[in-house]
Amino acid sequence: MIPVAVTDRRGPRPPGRALVRRRGMSLLLHRRSAVVAAALTLVLAVAVLAALCVGERTVSPVEVLKLPFGRPSPDRLTIELLRLPRVAVGLTVGFALGVAGALIQTVGRNPLASPDVIGVSQGAAALTVGLLVFGVVTSPFAIPLVSVTGGFLTAALVYVVAWRGGLHAQRFVLIGIGISVALGSLTHVFLIGADIIAALHAKVWLTGSLKGRGWDEARPLLMVLLASVPGLLWASRAQRTMSLDDSTAAALGTRLGRQRLGLAALGVALASVATGAAGSVNFVALVAPQVAARLTRDTQIPLLCAGLTGSVIVVTADIAARMLFAPVQLPVGAITAMIGAPYLMWLLIRPRAERPS
């Protein structure tokens, strides 16, 4: 969400923040975050309109804009039955991954600590693929539940193994990368030993494609996002203490361990459900929070801006996936990987002095 801080009425106002008073409480809103959120919303609206217009048959933006007003259009069925559900899945998946990445990076205090790097997405994918290829899961409604289970089990494993009297950011990321590689190999083992039809079904899901996705995938994720709003409001406030070390937080009476666990659990849930809805759309959770942080220039990653950035990336990447080699459609995960892989390499090779501690 937009970074919010509580302050006393008589206290100084930090630069770049607007003071809002309501019902005896004073709130500080980060002005730049609000402007960036508005700009990202506008960019997202343009991207959604473009996604509804392009395809095997190009539709005029005027025809698309007629639909909300109930006016007749010869392309109504194409837009409402095929393109709109697909765009809704891309938008919600991108938002969930962007917010999940912001939460995990806040907990790990490291720009590399995203769900797809530390193994959460791979854990969700491994369990889902395993149950798909062995015929345990057949209903699309069960896939998000299986993905959440796999994501939480992997996150718990990373957290327990990385804990050594505290959560060191570098150890957390390195252990997560190791577990991620192991789970990726396990997924390939499942695919090799599976029936060819089941393996093809799992492979299509695993590539992170929005082709064929519809309201059945969008609705559960949208419900999870709406249910998580109170948690995200709490998380936007809890983020401010994440930069403290354990001893300082204890001296201030802050239960930092519980806050980290709450933020991590919320991020894992969002990333896992997003993976269940669209498969492994990699690197969105890695890139979106850092882009949002650089646009807002705030001391903490703004959750709302991170989510909007993730939506813009996924919706735009899906347009590219449909148009680059038309009529052949690429998986959206392939496009996001082309964006995220160079960024990941830059994070790894940039000078040590620039890296977060």
Side-chain angles (χ1 to χ4, degrees):
M1 314 307 289
I2 297 174
V4 177
V6 179
T7 182
D8 185 84
R9 291 184 178 181
R10 297 167 296 178
R13 184 185 309 177
R17 295 182 184 267
L19 182 62
V20 178
R21 293 190 177 98
R22 186 174 182 180
R23 296 181 180 178
M25 178 177 287
S26 299
L27 301 177
L28 286 177
L29 302 181
H30 193 259
R31 290 195 188 98
R32 189 178 178 92
S33 293
V35 172
V36 169
L40 287 171
T41 301
L42 180 60
V43 173
L44 180 59
V46 173
V48 168
L49 179 61
L52 294 175
C53 291
V54 301
E56 293 183 6
R57 172 184 168 84
T58 302
V59 179
S60 167
V62 176
E63 295 297 321
V64 173
L65 294 175
K66 286 181 180 179
L67 298 182
F69 301 99
R71 296 181 181 178
S73 171
D75 300 293
R76 186 181 192 91
L77 291 180
T78 300
I79 296 171
E80 290 187 346
L81 297 182
L82 298 178
R83 297 183 185 175
L84 184 59
R86 177 171 179 158
V87 171
V89 174
L91 191 152
T92 51
V93 164
F95 192 92
L97 289 175
V99 173
L103 293 171
I104 299 297
Q105 288 178 13
T106 298
V107 172
R109 290 180 288 183
N110 193 314
L112 290 173
S114 70
D116 44 357
V117 172
I118 65 171
V120 171
S121 298
Q122 285 75 10
L127 184 60
T128 304
V129 169
L131 297 184
L132 280 173
V133 299
F134 291 113
V136 179
V137 173
T138 57
S139 171
F141 296 101
I143 290 180
L145 298 177
V146 174
S147 298
V148 170
T149 303
F152 269 106
L153 290 174
T154 305
L157 178 61
V158 174
Y159 197 90
V160 169
V161 176
W163 184 268
R164 293 289 185 276
L167 192 65
H168 188 272
Q170 185 175 8
R171 182 171 60 243
F172 177 73
V173 172
L174 291 177
I175 290 175
I177 290 174
I179 292 177
S180 173
V181 172
L183 290 171
S185 300
L186 181 62
T187 302
H188 288 296
V189 170
F190 288 150
L191 291 173
I192 292 172
D195 174 78
I196 186 168
I197 302 299
L200 286 174
H201 181 203
K203 190 68 176 178
V204 169
W205 178 86
L206 193 61
T207 54
S209 174
L210 297 183
K211 184 178 181 180
R213 300 296 196 268
W215 294 117
D216 289 342
E217 291 79 17
R219 287 193 189 99
L221 182 52
L222 183 59
M223 291 173 61
V224 170
L225 286 173
L226 292 175
S228 65
V229 168
L232 294 177
L233 291 172
W234 166 81
S236 66
R237 295 169 59 88
Q239 278 183 306
R240 298 194 300 272
T241 61
M242 289 297 102
S243 60
L244 302 175
D245 56 70
D246 291 351
S247 57
T248 303
L252 294 174
T254 302
R255 296 177 177 179
L256 199 56
R258 292 187 180 183
Q259 289 187 349
R260 284 175 179 163
L261 188 60
L263 292 174
L266 186 56
V268 169
L270 291 174
S272 301
V273 176
T275 302
S280 299
V281 184
N282 292 321
F283 294 108
V284 176
L286 174 72
V287 175
Q290 293 302 308
V291 171
R294 282 163 173 75
L295 288 174
T296 58
R297 299 177 187 173
D298 199 6
T299 54
Q300 65 189 50
I301 302 174
L303 300 185
L304 177 59
C305 293
L308 290 171
T309 303
S311 294
V312 170
I313 291 174
V314 174
V315 173
T316 305
D318 187 48
I319 296 173
R322 283 187 279 166
M323 301 304 296
L324 284 178
F325 297 98
V328 176
Q329 295 190 25
L330 297 176
V332 68
I335 304 298
T336 58
M338 292 179 190
I339 299 171
Y343 178 74
L344 176 60
M345 289 187 288
W346 176 76
L347 285 177
L348 292 172
I349 65 176
R350 65 177 173 162
R352 189 179 186 86
E354 297 180 15
R355 299 178 188 175
S357 56

